[in-house]
Amino acid sequence: MEIGVVGKPNVGKSTFFSAATLVDVQIANYPFTTIDANVGVTYAIAEHPCRELGCQPNPQNYEYKDGLALIPIKMIDVAGLVPGAHEGRGLGNKFLDDLRMASALIHVVDATGKTDAEGQPTEHHDPVEDIEFLEREIDYWIYGILRKNWEKFAKRIKLQHLKLAQAIADQLTGIGVTEEDAFEAIHKLGLDNDPTKWSDEDLMAFVRELRKVNKPIIIAANKADAAADAQIERLIRKGRSRGYIVVPTSAAAELTLRRAAKAGFIDYVPGSSDFKILRPMSPKQERALQLIKEKVLDRFGSTGVQEVINRAVFELLNLVPVYPVEDEHKLTDGFGNVLPHVHLLPKGSTPRDLAYKVHTDLGKTFLYAVNARTHRRVGEDYELEFNDIIKIVATAR
């Protein structure tokens, strides 16, 4: 799974990426600082089952701190986007190519309205326009892929009696579209199963719906500490009216806190509303941290960066963490490690889906599962829940 960090130039996009991953990237106040995509690892953070069960885990594919599971997620910081990107303006082609396989997008906008559509300094830009223009650019990008040879493509589907959703998914496999994505968009709009009857308006409506399904977006209202309450409230209200989660964010504050924690000056868990000073620092450093406490943490409850990541994973993508074990009583694998692995699966997944995630052979030979919390046997129709601990029982091969 990959999450893309997107937005126009000069809104703090690379700062957000660096704060989320602690990857050193070039950060500057001019457009197109990012030319080649930066790739790093961030973490979705969830309460760990051991906090409730009183155990001590031996994590193998995640990290554990203070009762929390830090689950690694691939993150990509793509080139800044400007209007007309789908036509190749700015670094448009590079931008769109970089986000092809992203499961979700974090759209970083300047909540202060002091960055215009091209990424240049201004005083009175409406950040809601940035939300709309990103939608348009992605829509026209997907539309351009489908519209080319659409008539011929639609006739072939009809003549060869192909499955419409599968045929469209095959056309768009390069940007990560699945048959399920296409099917959902078609049926949500009630479009005819004969694509030769689709108008250009139908095709564009389909593309808009497909973008919502295949490239869901969450808004990071960045530089929130420099924005007035009214600006933040309006952005949240307007974003919600378009179906978006909007989170007030200060990427610069988060980056400062994470670097201070990495250097051993403070104890800070990303997403927290406070931090603890561990050793002396210069008056300038202390003052900087105090300002972050007053202007960001006390005002918003956190810097917003971790909230954006968590909500993208657990709310936008609707994933649930599940822990497979071999011993449902000791909560261990075959080597005695306590809850060593966690897997993120779409809500509605079953124990058989988990079995396939662990190993293909385990999925093929799946018999049933045991819920380690209740010690009850569950079948393959059981829907996995957040933080389930599951033992898979399979036939011998």
Side-chain angles (χ1 to χ4, degrees):
M1 182 178 61
E2 182 177 294
I3 293 179
V5 181
V6 302
K8 68 187 182 185
N10 206 17
V11 295
K13 180 173 58 64
S14 291
T15 304
F16 184 101
F17 171 82
S18 189
T21 63
L22 281 186
V23 171
D24 289 328
V25 298
Q26 189 177 4
I27 299 170
N29 289 324
Y30 55 82
F32 305 121
T33 305
T34 303
I35 295 177
D36 295 318
N38 299 300
V39 180
V41 175
T42 189
Y43 296 89
I45 298 180
E47 185 170 311
H48 194 280
C50 278
R51 175 178 279 183
E52 172 194 349
L53 300 174
C55 51
Q56 182 61 43
N58 309 110
Q60 306 293 309
N61 74 333
Y62 65 98
E63 295 185 22
Y64 177 80
K65 182 177 181 180
D66 299 334
L68 299 173
L70 284 67
I71 307 168
I73 305 291
K74 184 179 179 181
M75 179 173 277
I76 181 168
D77 169 32
V78 303
L81 182 68
V82 296
H86 70 280
E87 298 172 336
R89 283 201 66 227
L91 297 172
N93 292 331
K94 185 77 173 71
F95 167 89
L96 295 168
D97 189 60
D98 286 340
L99 60 77
R100 283 179 180 273
M101 301 309 293
S103 300
L105 304 176
I106 295 171
H107 184 189
V108 181
V109 303
D110 182 350
T112 66
K114 293 187 176 180
T115 313
D116 70 14
E118 304 286 340
Q120 300 290 352
T122 188
E123 285 299 321
H124 303 293
H125 180 75
D126 185 355
V128 175
E129 293 179 9
D130 297 336
I131 297 175
E132 295 170 351
F133 106 78
L134 180 69
E135 291 176 347
R136 286 195 301 272
E137 292 302 327
I138 297 176
D139 290 346
Y140 279 112
W141 171 49
I142 300 173
Y143 178 81
I145 297 171
L146 280 179
R147 189 66 189 85
K148 186 188 297 183
N149 301 319
W150 173 257
E151 286 79 8
K152 185 185 295 185
F153 173 67
K155 287 178 182 177
R156 183 168 65 86
I157 291 173
K158 183 178 181 179
L159 290 172
Q160 297 180 12
H161 304 289
L162 301 177
K163 291 174 64 178
L164 177 57
Q166 182 61 63
I168 290 175
D170 290 344
Q171 282 286 100
L172 298 175
T173 187
I175 61 172
V177 172
T178 65
E179 181 180 357
E180 290 76 16
D181 294 338
F183 182 87
E184 182 176 339
I186 290 166
H187 284 268
K188 191 164 186 180
L189 295 171
L191 293 172
D192 198 297
N193 280 325
D194 179 358
T196 63
K197 295 180 180 179
W198 289 16
S199 65
D200 277 349
E201 290 74 20
D202 289 334
L203 185 57
M204 180 54 82
F206 167 74
V207 162
R208 290 194 185 102
E209 196 60 43
L210 184 65
R211 182 250 307 156
K212 294 176 186 177
V213 174
N214 180 253
K215 296 284 184 279
I217 300 169
I218 186 170
I219 309 297
N222 198 34
K223 307 182 184 180
D225 48 316
D229 288 343
Q231 288 176 299
I232 297 293
E233 289 165 5
R234 178 179 179 274
L235 187 52
I236 291 174
R237 186 175 65 255
K238 291 287 187 178
R240 282 177 178 168
S241 71
R242 301 183 71 87
Y244 291 112
I245 300 167
V246 181
V247 180
T249 305
S250 175
E254 180 71 13
L255 182 57
T256 298
L257 290 172
R258 292 205 188 191
R259 285 177 171 171
K262 186 178 181 181
F265 286 108
I266 63 173
D267 181 19
Y268 170 68
V269 176
S272 298
S273 60
D274 204 352
F275 55 85
K276 180 181 179 182
I277 295 177
L278 298 178
R279 62 188 178 92
M281 60 190 82
S282 71
K284 184 179 179 181
Q285 290 171 319
E286 284 190 11
R287 180 57 183 159
L289 292 176
Q290 185 60 33
L291 285 173
I292 289 174
K293 178 76 169 67
E294 294 170 1
K295 294 182 177 296
V296 180
L297 301 182
D298 290 347
R299 182 181 174 191
F300 299 111
S302 76
T303 68
V305 171
Q306 190 60 52
E307 181 182 348
V308 168
I309 296 165
N310 283 355
R311 295 185 74 176
V313 172
F314 300 128
E315 194 170 336
L316 199 64
L317 293 174
N318 214 13
L319 300 176
V320 295
V322 182
Y323 297 79
V325 295
E326 290 192 32
D327 187 324
E328 71 272 31
H329 301 288
K330 296 180 179 179
L331 308 181
T332 56
D333 64 7
F335 301 98
N337 296 306
V338 176
L339 299 179
H341 296 98
V342 63
H343 295 283
L344 292 172
L345 290 96
K347 192 167 180 58
S349 295
T350 66
R352 185 185 288 275
D353 295 323
L354 174 63
Y356 270 108
K357 191 84 170 178
V358 174
H359 197 283
T360 303
D361 287 344
L362 198 61
K364 290 178 179 178
T365 58
F366 174 88
L367 283 177
Y368 64 91
V370 177
N371 185 323
R373 291 178 181 274
T374 64
H375 300 291
R376 291 180 178 175
R377 174 172 168 167
V378 294
E380 62 177 295
D381 58 342
Y382 171 77
E383 289 193 7
L384 297 170
E385 297 182 357
F386 202 96
N387 274 355
D388 262 350
I389 304 170
I390 300 292
K391 174 184 178 177
I392 303 296
V393 179
T395 59
R397 294 194 70 179

